[in-house]
Amino acid sequence: MELRARVLLWKLVLLQSSSVLLSSGPAGPATPGSSVVSESAVSWAAGARAVLRCQSPRMVWTQDRLHDRQRVVHWDLSGGPAGGPARRLVDMYSAGEQRVYEPRDSGRLLLTPSAFQDGNFSLLIRAVEDTDEGLYTCNLHHHYCHLYESLAVRLEVTDDPRAAGAHWDGEKEVLAVERGAPALLTCVNRAHVWTDRHLEEAQQVVHWDRQPPGVPHDRADRLLDLYASGERRAYGPPFLRERVAVGADAFARGDFSLRIDPLEPADEGTYSCHLHHHYCGLHERRVFHLKVTEPAARPPPRDSPGNGSSHSGAPGPGAGDPTLTRGRSVINVIVPEGRAHFFQQLGYVLATLLLFILLLITVILATRQRRRGGYEYSDKKCKSKGKDVNMVEFAVAAGDQALYRREDIRLGYKNNLLKERVELSHSPLPAKSIDLDKEFRKEYCK
């Protein structure tokens, strides 16, 4: 008889489970569309390294060798006749056995062993007692997907069999059960995240899209595709593909931030980070409106006379006018000379001066040599024509003749002709007026 009653109770569970679902949990597969969780405008200067932050701890991939995904269900009771805080009644893991916390409830509170296969987490109380009255909560926890869902059912114990039944009070189900009769607290969730055992690496994907200015979202260009299995695919124009990257350990840390280095003015646009975890039902999108600005100008150097800056603190003529654009300025940098540079320049000056002196000496010697060579050339020219200079015709003053007579000139003569000429010059001759300039011109012109 008892076995027949249990079979009837479980049939009732299966009939009720088809119509009662968790209001907070998804009823089926997640929709492929993603919801925008954040939208921000960012700005970087051209040439800098831009980082678009896209992080989610729910996308962290940890392989589960037991394939239970760390799923757990537990029932709590609060608000009983005795009052007090909520207490744990029973719990069960997807890869383990159910555990009852109170000894008196052992064998009296039951969960179906196939709860994580068919999605039926209903609690069966064999014989209801007065102490069982209160608010029951069915809690489903998915530690891997970071999902927490709950369903509340209020149990009332009555002595009138006609008052037994169930109704909805607008927030939760209210179940009235006769004392000593069995009670079934319904909790059903057939979402695939609680029942399926697929490999998550085939269902986790992250991709980045880019929209140039003026391009709608449905025509965005795909930049990157990342899979938890390690596969990566790069798209987009070549000038941008070589400068964008996502960390190699993105799925290990849940950080899928996009780095653009270096940033160029053509990179301006809207970027979208799409996170899809099909197993956990996660579909999120983060939007970044990137603006590229001109690189910041370097601060001017300190005031110095060499760079044209003024020592006075008075502002320029257009310092207070924001409408005036500031043009490019030329900065003169004066590098102090070292001691070695000074001696090097001094050596150049001294070498130049010495070279000039040597050149001057060379010119003077060449000039003197040329004059001496001219005289010898004239004497040889006269001898080659066979014409001798008549020394007798030169006018010599009387005082000079007397002076030369008193001198004893002892010369060695090579021939008689020169000897005669010398004797004639020492002999007294009558004074004769001769124009030497005229005689020289006459002799040289012949």
Side-chain angles (χ1 to χ4, degrees):
M1 192 68 177
E2 182 180 358
L3 180 61
R4 185 178 179 181
R6 293 185 60 182
V7 172
L8 292 176
L9 288 175
W10 286 115
K11 287 184 178 180
L12 180 62
V13 169
L14 295 177
L15 290 175
Q16 292 181 353
S17 62
S18 61
S19 59
V20 181
L21 300 177
L22 282 174
S23 60
S24 59
T31 58
S34 57
S35 59
V36 178
V37 297
S38 66
E39 186 171 1
S40 58
V42 293
S43 177
W44 270 280
R49 179 184 181 184
V51 180
L52 305 181
R53 299 290 181 185
C54 183
Q55 301 173 341
S56 176
R58 295 183 61 184
M59 291 292 293
V60 177
W61 176 59
T62 54
Q63 188 174 3
D64 187 2
R65 296 180 179 179
L66 299 178
H67 301 287
D68 62 353
R69 305 292 185 271
Q70 301 180 8
R71 296 167 293 173
V72 60
V73 56
H74 60 83
W75 279 88
D76 298 337
L77 173 61
S78 61
R87 61 187 181 92
R88 182 69 50 86
L89 297 177
V90 59
D91 60 18
M92 183 176 65
Y93 287 86
S94 59
E97 298 179 355
Q98 54 182 301
R99 177 176 53 178
V100 180
Y101 286 81
E102 295 291 339
R104 61 179 292 271
D105 293 334
S106 179
R108 198 172 67 92
L109 304 180
L110 298 175
L111 290 174
T112 174
S114 61
F116 287 98
Q117 283 75 37
D118 53 25
N120 186 4
F121 306 96
S122 301
L123 176 66
L124 176 63
I125 305 177
R126 286 180 177 270
V128 176
E129 302 176 356
D130 292 336
T131 56
D132 295 333
E133 190 174 70
L135 182 64
Y136 288 79
T137 306
C138 174
N139 300 282
L140 295 174
H141 294 271
H142 200 307
H143 298 287
Y144 175 76
C145 293
H146 304 278
L147 297 179
Y148 306 94
E149 301 178 0
S150 62
L151 177 67
V153 179
R154 184 167 187 83
L155 177 63
E156 296 178 353
V157 180
T158 179
D159 294 330
D160 187 2
R162 293 176 297 179
H167 65 276
W168 185 262
D169 66 353
E171 295 181 355
K172 59 185 176 298
E173 179 186 6
V174 179
L175 180 63
V177 181
E178 184 182 0
R179 183 184 293 105
L184 180 65
L185 307 181
T186 307
C187 179
V188 178
N189 191 333
R190 290 196 174 93
H192 72 93
V193 69
W194 304 108
T195 59
D196 294 344
R197 303 177 66 177
H198 300 300
L199 297 178
E200 65 274 12
E201 60 264 26
Q203 301 190 28
Q204 285 182 256
V205 59
V206 176
H207 61 261
W208 277 90
D209 292 345
R210 176 180 178 269
Q211 302 168 232
V215 177
H217 171 66
D218 56 351
R219 294 187 179 182
D221 298 328
R222 181 63 54 86
L223 291 180
L224 292 172
D225 277 340
L226 310 175
Y227 298 90
S229 59
E231 181 182 359
R232 294 195 174 201
R233 300 175 185 175
Y235 310 93
F239 73 89
L240 182 60
R241 186 189 313 172
E242 300 174 354
R243 294 181 290 106
V244 297
V246 176
D249 55 348
F251 282 96
R253 299 186 298 109
D255 186 1
F256 307 93
S257 302
L258 181 70
R259 298 187 298 273
I260 307 176
D261 187 20
L263 190 64
E264 296 182 359
D267 300 334
E268 190 169 290
T270 302
Y271 293 77
S272 302
C273 175
H274 300 258
L275 304 178
H276 297 283
H277 199 314
H278 299 284
Y279 173 79
C280 295
L282 173 67
H283 302 278
E284 297 179 352
R285 179 160 60 99
R286 292 166 173 79
V287 182
F288 303 90
H289 301 281
L290 176 61
K291 183 179 180 181
V292 182
T293 61
E294 292 293 332
R298 295 181 179 179
R302 296 179 179 178
D303 294 343
S304 60
N307 58 8
S309 58
S310 175
H311 290 274
S312 62
D321 191 355
T323 61
L324 296 179
T325 59
R326 186 175 183 181
R328 298 181 180 273
S329 58
V330 179
I331 301 175
N332 298 326
V333 180
I334 300 177
V335 181
E337 298 179 353
R339 182 175 299 179
H341 183 73
F342 170 76
F343 286 113
Q344 184 180 7
Q345 298 296 331
L346 180 61
Y348 290 156
V349 174
L350 295 178
T352 304
L353 183 60
L354 180 60
L355 181 62
F356 176 75
I357 294 174
L358 292 177
L359 182 62
L360 182 61
I361 294 174
T362 304
V363 171
I364 293 175
L365 293 178
T367 304
R368 296 183 61 182
Q369 185 69 22
R370 185 177 182 82
R371 289 180 179 178
R372 187 176 302 172
Y375 294 154
E376 293 178 358
Y377 176 76
S378 300
D379 189 20
K380 291 179 180 180
K381 184 178 180 181
C382 295
K383 290 182 179 180
S384 63
K385 290 183 180 181
K387 298 179 181 180
D388 299 330
V389 180
N390 189 5
M391 300 299 295
V392 183
E393 296 179 354
F394 287 95
V396 183
D400 295 339
Q401 293 177 358
L403 180 62
Y404 286 124
R405 289 193 187 100
R406 286 193 296 265
E407 292 178 357
D408 187 11
I409 301 175
R410 297 180 181 181
L411 300 173
Y413 305 103
K414 294 182 180 181
N415 49 45
N416 296 329
L417 182 60
L418 294 178
K419 185 176 181 179
E420 291 178 358
R421 290 182 179 177
V422 173
E423 291 177 355
L424 290 175
S425 63
H426 288 278
S427 62
L429 297 175
K432 185 178 180 181
S433 177
I434 301 174
D435 190 356
L436 297 179
D437 294 336
K438 183 176 180 181
E439 292 296 331
F440 273 111
R441 285 196 299 270
K442 186 187 300 183
E443 292 294 330
Y444 289 145
C445 292
K446 288 181 180 181

